[in-house]
Amino acid sequence: IAMALEEAPVAMRVVSDVPGHLFEDPEEAVMRICLKSRSEIIQSVLVDACITMPDGRVRKEQFASKIEPLQEKTFALELGDAPVGKSDLVVRLEVIDAAGDKRGMERATSFAILPHFERTASNSPFGMWSFFENHHGADIETTCQILRKAGVRGTLTNFILGVEPETWEENARRTV
């Protein structure tokens, strides 16, 4: 069995402006589909986004465009109609070159619309062990933002402060 590998003609990233795609305000809930051409020729792209919401509804959205050589294009996918809870998002990209050849890729992720609540980490009874960074996960700033949104009061000191004593003071200041 043999396999030839080639670089994708268009790179795709699915991102948001909030850590973990955990949206506190449905009005600001937007995922961005970022495309970057790696080709010297104009290419046609077709992007299909499918959102499966916690109440069972499915919403599909499609974007069609051309991408100039070595240029970037971003599509905004507004999520404000999603109910509170976790939703799944699947984005499929089809790239069609000048010869009509098609190449595709898919990215699956999830996002959540969080309920409004008043509890803060300082009055929360919840704590947790967090192994994010030590197990190749998110950095301290991102992790602490997610923990605060969850209303977690505390986590392991060595995680928050780090393992090197010279970083303790700076890390404590960043995460308060």
Side-chain angles (χ1 to χ4, degrees):
I1 297 178
M3 181 184 307
L5 300 176
E6 63 179 305
E7 184 176 62
V10 175
M12 176 175 69
R13 293 183 319 125
V14 179
V15 299
S16 72
D17 291 334
V18 298
H21 310 315
L22 301 173
F23 297 98
E24 294 179 277
D25 182 357
E27 300 302 317
E28 296 178 6
V30 176
M31 296 292 286
R32 291 186 325 280
I33 303 163
C34 306
L35 305 179
K36 182 176 183 179
S37 172
R38 295 178 172 161
S39 174
E40 297 287 339
I41 62 171
I42 295 174
Q43 299 187 79
S44 297
V45 295
L46 182 63
V47 176
D48 286 307
C50 180
I51 301 169
T52 304
M53 301 179 207
D55 61 5
R57 288 184 294 143
V58 174
R59 179 166 62 97
K60 296 182 179 187
E61 200 159 327
Q62 191 173 77
F63 306 95
S65 185
K66 293 195 180 293
I67 297 185
E68 296 293 322
L70 306 174
Q71 296 297 307
E72 297 180 19
K73 185 171 281 287
T74 299
F75 301 102
L77 181 62
E78 296 186 10
L79 311 170
D81 63 332
V84 168
K86 174 190 169 278
S87 295
D88 293 313
L89 170 62
V90 176
V91 178
R92 291 180 183 85
L93 170 65
E94 186 174 85
V95 180
I96 307 159
D97 64 19
D101 293 330
K102 297 179 181 179
R103 290 183 175 78
M105 67 180 70
E106 180 177 293
R107 167 76 164 97
T109 189
S110 60
F111 65 89
I113 304 295
L114 300 178
H116 178 74
F117 68 96
E118 300 293 327
R119 185 180 70 229
T120 63
S122 62
N123 66 12
S124 172
F126 301 106
M128 66 183 296
W129 284 4
S130 177
F131 301 100
F132 288 61
E133 192 171 63
N134 291 336
H135 292 272
H136 310 291
D139 58 82
I140 289 173
E141 289 85 3
T142 302
T143 301
C144 288
Q145 289 179 46
I146 292 170
L147 293 175
R148 280 191 198 107
K149 286 182 181 186
V152 172
R153 184 176 191 155
T155 185
L156 293 174
T157 303
N158 71 336
F159 164 74
I160 293 294
L161 298 179
V163 294
E164 302 297 328
E166 60 271 13
T167 65
W168 290 356
E169 186 176 322
E170 174 61 23
N171 287 347
R173 187 172 36 260
R174 290 185 304 169
T175 59
V176 171

